[in-house]
Amino acid sequence: MKVFRLHLLLIVAIMLAFTGTTVFGKDVKDLKAAFVYVGPIGDGGWTYSHDLGRKHLEKMGVTTSYVETVPETDSIRVIRNFARENYDIIFTTSFGYMDTTLKVASEFPKTVFMHCSGFKTAENVGTYFGRIYQAKFLTGIVAGYMTKSNVIGVIGSHPIPEIIRHINAFTLGVRSVNPDAKVKVIWVNAWFDPSKEGAAADSLMDDGADIVSITTDSAAALKAAEKRGKYAIGNDSDMKPYAPSAHLTSAVWNWGVYYEHIAKQVAEGTWKTNKDWWGIKSGVADISSFGDMVPADIRDKVNKKKEEIIAGKSFVFQGPFNKQDGSSAVKEGEKLTDEQIWGIDYFVEGVAGSLPKKNN
Amino acid sequence: METTAIEWIVIVLAASVKMGTPILFGTLGGVISERAGVINLGMEGLMLIGALTSFVVKLYTGSTILAVSAGAFAAGAATSLHALVCISMRASQIASGLALTMFGTGVSGLLGDSLTGKTITPLMDIKIPLLSSIPVIGKIFFIQDALVYLSYISVATIWYLLFYTRVGLNIRSIGEAPAVCDSIGLSVLKYRYAAVIIGGMIVGVGGAYFSIVLTPFWVDNLTAGRGWIAVALVIFAFWHPGKAMFGAYLFGAALSLQLRLQLIDINISPYFLAMFPFILTIVALTIATIRNNKKRIAVMPASLGEAFFRGEKH
């Protein structure tokens, strides 16, 4: 019985493999790509950055379409509609779309689905995310050099591994050039709540911070810093236009590079299910241009570090570094594996602030 | 940078006033409208319309007075639709209010789309001479921006208007018993239209506070749900401008404490702090309701939510 089932699976898999190649040899210009966004394009951050990637495909001649502000509970309908309309690739750009993407993908085996920031895949579902923590590390170096009070504030969105990872990488960057500096964290428990983000920045500055970095979506904190003549670091997209006199740099996404890669693979028929985690080397994650106040020697040092990371000579989570309580996290000469980086659930030394305790 | 406990409290409370001010304007607008018997659930939408309009006017003219007035008028214009639908056409006030919120959210997102990345200079604080030198109180209430001072004046004016003038008595009477007022020759329609539209304009000023003071740029859904807090606060404040002020600052305090307690090593879960103002208001509401029931006082305007039909027999 077991053997029979295995055969059946094989047959289905082969059938899928064949039906999946119907787009074989297409020109990129014949492709149709659809995007499902969790927020409005006007958020100036996460969704905005994905939409820049979509526009990049559009420039290559790909026909694209999108729906913005799709609630996770309603995503199955939106994704299925795109699949019915014979789109070749459907990009679903929020963690919460993971299961609905897989569900629809099982109904439309000919369509390629790409889900962002999740961990489940299938024959026709790939998953992707970017190592923006590398960019966070570099912005941390800028902050470490630029701080005078040695207190740097970070506005945390939600205390989940992704954000803990980003705060840790930022802190490691700060402390790599300024071991005396402290990074203070305030959680706002929201991705997007501009007036609360602004108030959080004010709280941090009242507490001595002279630089505020964000993991949230809006530029409110940058405006708050500008008002007081302090500095700030942006998130997701280049936030310089919002506060040119406060903006040191931003950790930014550049999804166009990756979307181009996937579109070409699908057109050529070489696409296979994948788990991509591209970093600063490919350009998917990067830092934006520096503010005018950042001196040339600091820019050079940051750029040099960037080259080292690209060349694989330097890693963000390489030892030795300690956990927040001073115990060793990674020893000299060792580094965290991708899996460990992905699931990091502790703060590194230098972060002042606590993680909400788990309720079990 | 060490601050004493009192200094810390003063900073927190001053920030609470700022965070509470847009909610206060929203609540005041709701109080006027509901005192005349018309529920307005459209506040979130009106605030967004007010926020966007003020931002655009400030961006292109640089004038705060023009910007705030424009925000108020735009919100007032949108509210007049609500007034038309539920006063003259006697449709459901709940449905019309919800539609107003959806309309405001949608239209502000649509029209504001091209403004991504544009910013204005936020309003600066003004020190009121004498008053700001009062210990503690001065630093909390009298080193604020002009719109905060406008909110103080609004509270006093609306308080006086509602409870110490003929017009106020008429508004409140219409909210209680429109048929009686009609029979003694008051125009229920005129009063209700005026109350709803003026209320909407004040909500619009609350919206302006977001884009002119708190976050001097435009992003979709800038108010992030504060309008709904104002909707709830109208009830929690028992339709009274003074209590609205207290309630708005309580919410402001909870919002700023949520952030600032994290910095002084007091480990209270941020989730607890986020729900804290709601618990506090439910407790306050329960106590006040029990007390009022004992005294047999009904605070809710009796005709709230009901359309008025002239000559209708009950």
Side-chain angles (χ1 to χ4, degrees):
Chain A
M1 197 57 196
K2 230 177 193 172
V3 179
F4 172 71
R5 229 187 266 162
L6 200 66
H7 273 109
L8 200 69
L9 268 178
L10 262 174
I11 292 166
V12 171
I14 290 165
M15 276 167 62
L16 281 180
F18 274 101
T19 49
T21 53
T22 46
V23 288
F24 181 78
K26 256 192 187 178
D27 191 74
V28 182
K29 290 197 169 76
D30 301 328
L31 277 186
K32 275 169 75 187
F35 290 79
V36 184
Y37 298 142
V38 73
I41 290 168
D43 70 354
W46 175 253
T47 296
Y48 178 73
S49 71
H50 282 284
D51 198 60
L52 290 180
R54 181 188 65 82
K55 285 184 179 147
H56 180 81
L57 286 187
E58 192 81 340
K59 259 189 222 137
M60 290 167 55
V62 179
T63 310
T64 69
S65 195
Y66 64 89
V67 181
E68 49 185 336
T69 322
V70 177
E72 280 149 9
T73 45
D74 198 26
S75 58
I76 196 155
R77 188 180 58 82
V78 177
I79 301 169
R80 193 179 278 137
N81 271 350
F82 276 134
R84 277 204 196 112
E85 287 166 25
N86 293 321
Y87 279 87
D88 302 296
I89 328 167
I90 298 171
F91 293 96
T92 56
T93 62
S94 181
F95 181 81
Y97 299 153
M98 184 162 65
D99 290 322
T100 48
T101 304
L102 279 154
K103 174 80 178 62
V104 180
S106 68
E107 301 162 12
F108 296 88
K110 288 183 193 174
T111 312
V112 171
F113 293 83
M114 291 299 300
H115 174 248
C116 187
S117 78
F119 52 85
K120 292 182 189 169
T121 57
E123 195 73 31
N124 60 333
V125 184
T127 183
Y128 65 103
F129 199 50
R131 295 175 192 265
I132 197 134
Y133 71 85
Q134 294 172 331
K136 295 275 172 189
F137 179 76
L138 296 174
T139 62
I141 296 177
V142 178
Y145 280 125
M146 294 297 289
T147 180
K148 290 194 177 71
S149 66
N150 279 348
V151 180
I152 295 160
V154 173
I155 300 175
S157 43
H158 290 285
I160 56 171
E162 177 188 332
I163 300 302
I164 296 167
R165 178 166 76 234
H166 295 165
I167 294 173
N168 283 340
F170 178 78
T171 307
L172 289 173
V174 169
R175 304 262 290 190
S176 71
V177 297
N178 185 351
D180 297 328
K182 263 196 305 189
V183 172
K184 291 196 175 181
V185 180
I186 285 186
W187 297 105
V188 292
N189 294 302
W191 291 112
F192 178 82
D193 188 339
S195 53
K196 200 170 172 185
E197 293 166 43
D202 277 327
S203 312
L204 287 163
M205 290 185 286
D206 283 339
D207 209 47
D210 62 351
I211 298 175
V212 179
S213 178
I214 58 172
T215 64
T216 40
D217 286 349
S218 91
L222 283 86
K223 280 309 275 187
E226 187 182 53
K227 190 178 175 185
R228 293 198 185 192
K230 303 270 163 57
Y231 295 143
I233 292 170
N235 185 36
D236 283 347
S237 67
D238 187 351
M239 291 186 169
K240 187 174 190 172
Y242 286 101
S245 69
H247 179 261
L248 292 175
T249 182
S250 296
V252 298
W253 293 107
N254 183 13
W255 291 111
V257 190
Y258 182 72
Y259 289 157
E260 179 177 342
H261 163 77
I262 293 295
K264 278 184 179 156
Q265 276 195 337
V266 172
E268 287 161 7
T270 54
W271 183 89
K272 268 198 219 93
T273 182
N274 51 348
K275 261 189 184 173
D276 285 331
W277 202 13
W278 285 21
I280 211 158
K281 188 177 176 181
S282 63
V284 160
D286 205 347
I287 53 170
S288 69
S289 61
F290 297 102
D292 298 335
M293 71 296 270
V294 182
D297 59 321
I298 296 177
R299 296 180 191 207
D300 291 344
K301 282 172 185 157
V302 174
N303 284 328
K304 201 178 143 233
K305 197 74 190 171
K306 181 173 155 185
E307 294 308 319
E308 282 177 27
I309 293 175
I310 291 172
K313 284 185 214 150
S314 189
F315 298 92
V316 174
F317 291 101
Q318 71 181 4
F321 65 85
N322 294 338
K323 292 187 183 177
Q324 195 176 25
D325 59 9
S327 66
S328 171
V330 178
K331 290 189 190 71
E332 175 94 54
E334 290 174 13
K335 59 179 197 239
L336 292 184
T337 63
D338 273 1
E339 224 158 83
Q340 287 168 324
I341 295 174
W342 188 263
I344 200 159
D345 61 354
Y346 56 85
F347 272 146
V348 298
E349 194 172 42
V351 180
S354 53
L355 284 167
K357 286 183 189 67
K358 283 172 191 149
N359 293 327
N360 45 29
Chain B
M1 274 314 282
E2 285 304 304
T3 46
T4 65
I6 290 179
E7 278 169 352
W8 187 82
I9 291 168
V10 166
I11 291 173
V12 170
L13 291 180
S16 309
V17 170
K18 269 207 158 42
M19 292 298 278
T21 295
I23 303 174
L24 175 58
F25 277 118
T27 311
L28 288 176
V31 166
I32 295 180
S33 173
E34 296 200 6
R35 276 287 179 179
V38 182
I39 301 171
N40 189 350
L41 295 185
M43 289 193 207
E44 178 76 0
L46 291 176
M47 278 194 177
L48 284 166
I49 290 172
L52 176 68
T53 313
S54 314
F55 177 76
V56 172
V57 172
K58 174 93 186 194
L59 182 67
Y60 290 108
T61 68
S63 158
T64 305
I65 294 173
L66 273 183
V68 174
S69 321
F73 276 104
T79 322
S80 62
L81 286 175
H82 177 61
L84 180 74
V85 166
C86 52
I87 299 172
S88 295
M89 297 161 115
R90 302 183 186 104
S92 159
Q93 298 177 7
I94 306 286
S96 166
L98 289 175
L100 193 57
T101 282
M102 290 177 208
F103 169 71
T105 313
V107 82
S108 62
L110 185 72
L111 299 178
D113 204 28
S114 58
L115 296 169
T116 307
K118 294 204 170 65
T119 65
I120 52 176
T121 320
L123 213 54
M124 288 295 171
D125 291 346
I126 304 164
K127 229 177 182 173
I128 301 279
L130 289 170
L131 291 172
S132 63
S133 49
I134 305 171
V136 184
I137 304 273
K139 278 187 184 154
I140 298 172
F141 292 104
F142 298 109
I143 308 179
Q144 295 283 5
D145 53 81
L147 282 178
V148 171
Y149 300 133
L150 180 66
S151 76
Y152 300 160
I153 297 168
S154 305
V155 170
T157 311
I158 294 167
W159 195 332
Y160 178 76
L161 182 94
L162 277 179
F163 298 105
Y164 299 97
T165 66
R166 186 83 214 175
V167 175
L169 182 66
N170 291 347
I171 293 174
R172 285 185 293 134
S173 308
I174 284 167
E176 296 293 339
V180 177
C181 294
D182 186 56
S183 72
I184 60 165
L186 284 178
S187 170
V188 175
L189 250 59
K190 270 187 202 155
Y191 271 98
R192 282 198 166 168
Y193 262 101
V196 172
I197 293 173
I198 291 169
M201 290 173 74
I202 297 171
V203 178
V205 177
Y209 197 79
F210 280 99
S211 59
I212 301 253
V213 180
L214 291 179
T215 48
F217 55 87
W218 172 257
V219 270
D220 209 0
N221 203 13
L222 182 70
T223 54
R226 300 286 189 280
W228 290 109
I229 294 182
V231 168
L233 209 55
V234 174
I235 303 164
F236 294 155
F238 292 112
W239 298 270
H240 192 288
K243 290 184 182 121
M245 192 175 195
F246 177 75
Y249 293 161
L250 191 69
F251 268 88
L255 278 167
S256 52
L257 273 179
Q258 250 184 70
L259 305 168
R260 288 174 196 258
L261 282 181
Q262 295 182 41
L263 288 172
I264 53 166
D265 294 329
I266 295 181
N267 279 323
I268 304 175
S269 159
Y271 300 108
F272 177 79
L273 287 168
M275 68 182 186
F276 179 69
F278 294 95
I279 297 177
L280 212 61
T281 39
I282 288 170
V283 171
L285 193 64
T286 312
I287 294 171
T289 311
I290 291 171
R291 204 187 54 196
N292 286 334
N293 283 351
K294 267 189 191 153
K295 289 196 214 157
R296 297 181 173 279
I297 304 171
V299 279
M300 188 172 102
S303 78
L304 187 62
E306 287 169 17
F308 171 65
F309 294 86
R310 171 170 266 182
E312 190 189 36
K313 291 187 180 67
H314 287 282

